[in-house]
Amino acid sequence: MSVLDQFKLDGKTALVTGCRRGIGQAMALGLAEAGADIVGVSAQLEDDCEVGRQVKALGRSFTGYACDFSDRQAVYGLIDRVGAECAPIDILVNNAGTILRKPAADHPDEYWDKVIEVNLNAQFILSRAFGKAMVERGGGKIIFTASLLTFQGGITVPGYAASKGAIGQLTMALANEWASHGVNVNAIAPGYIATDNTAALRADPQRNPAILSRIPAGRWGEPDDFKGATVFLASAASNYVHGAVMLVDGGWMGR
């Protein structure tokens, strides 16, 4: 197999959570461009969603589901529906997440519980279900979206930092168990990316230049910057990569 052929995903089915916009949408489109059919999941996902239209325009199939990842029973229901209605999942991209800001001394239980449920518990449950099937089939790819706060503590986001730190550990824990079964478990850690979630930061006359001055690449990242990393970790090109957290941060963590 040539090196370029190793990146092809023809015949594969990828489930991408948080696919409606931003990084998740770019991940889904990158996988579709490489040949994968897409099962897309977001908290809100219209029948005729933009990401679905773009995937279909690439000649790939798209099946969409709405799921509230803070609702444990809804996550179990999603697993049952996908199992009954879709082809076996070859690639699982655990991208859905949330962030709630409040200083630690005033951070309420409901903030902590929701962030941990969405960012960690739901992702473990999905990985356990689809990962078990991958182990039984002898192959598969699982990709988590980590964060700079997998490595740093952040400010006023203790639940988010705890969840993303745990994602780094979960990536390694699952890789340790499943690598020998042909299942690759890795993560991608985004830096500062130009999405809806960072619009306020980019509009802030103090914070925006301060952030840019720390990024060696000299710019905010774009969602499309994640297509290549996602396809690599989803493809045969990464078959000997296990338990890694790949930084896509413009050099932030090396500064």
Side-chain angles (χ1 to χ4, degrees):
M1 183 184 297
S2 73
V3 67
L4 291 180
D5 285 339
Q6 291 181 41
F7 288 88
K8 292 181 179 179
L9 299 176
D10 300 88
K12 303 293 185 181
T13 299
L15 190 157
V16 182
T17 69
C19 71
R20 183 169 173 267
R21 59 185 184 178
I23 293 171
Q25 183 181 99
M27 288 172 154
L29 293 175
L31 293 170
E33 288 170 12
D37 293 319
I38 305 298
V39 177
V41 189
S42 280
Q44 297 179 340
L45 198 66
E46 308 84 357
D47 290 338
D48 187 30
C49 59
E50 175 64 22
V51 62
R53 290 195 297 271
Q54 292 191 51
V55 167
K56 291 175 181 177
L58 292 166
R60 311 312 311 168
S61 71
F62 180 88
T63 306
Y65 296 94
C67 181
D68 178 0
F69 292 103
S70 69
D71 181 342
R72 186 76 60 93
Q73 293 309 310
V75 175
Y76 287 131
L78 171 69
I79 292 167
D80 289 342
R81 288 189 66 190
V82 170
E85 300 171 2
C86 301
I89 300 302
D90 303 295
I91 302 155
L92 172 63
V93 181
N94 282 308
N95 172 71
T98 191
I99 187 168
L100 295 171
R101 300 177 184 276
K102 202 152 193 145
D106 302 310
H107 208 79
D109 288 357
E110 56 266 29
Y111 276 29
W112 177 274
D113 291 344
K114 181 173 182 177
V115 170
I116 295 297
E117 191 67 32
V118 173
N119 292 7
L120 181 60
N121 295 344
Q123 299 197 22
F124 171 69
I125 291 167
L126 291 172
S127 299
R128 181 178 62 194
F130 294 111
K132 180 179 181 180
M134 291 176 184
V135 167
E136 290 172 351
R137 295 196 304 270
K141 304 281 185 172
I142 297 176
I143 304 167
F144 290 96
T145 296
S147 168
L148 293 180
L149 297 196
T150 301
F151 309 97
Q152 301 175 322
I155 299 171
T156 74
V157 288
Y160 184 83
S163 71
K164 292 302 184 178
I167 286 297
Q169 294 301 115
L170 181 59
T171 297
M172 292 185 285
L174 297 181
N176 288 343
E177 293 194 36
W178 294 345
S180 63
H181 299 282
V183 179
N184 297 77
V185 185
N186 295 289
I188 297 172
Y192 283 90
I193 311 303
T195 65
D196 292 347
N197 289 340
T198 60
L201 279 178
R202 287 180 284 120
D204 188 308
Q206 282 80 44
R207 293 294 306 281
N208 185 39
I211 289 168
L212 284 173
S213 70
R214 165 76 189 265
I215 301 173
R219 66 172 177 88
W220 287 73
E222 298 291 340
D224 279 359
D225 289 323
F226 292 85
K227 287 183 175 181
T230 303
V231 170
F232 168 64
L233 292 178
S235 71
S238 63
N239 279 351
Y240 199 59
V241 180
H242 295 277
V245 180
M246 178 184 293
L247 287 158
V248 181
D249 66 347
W252 177 279
M253 286 300 297
R255 187 65 176 264

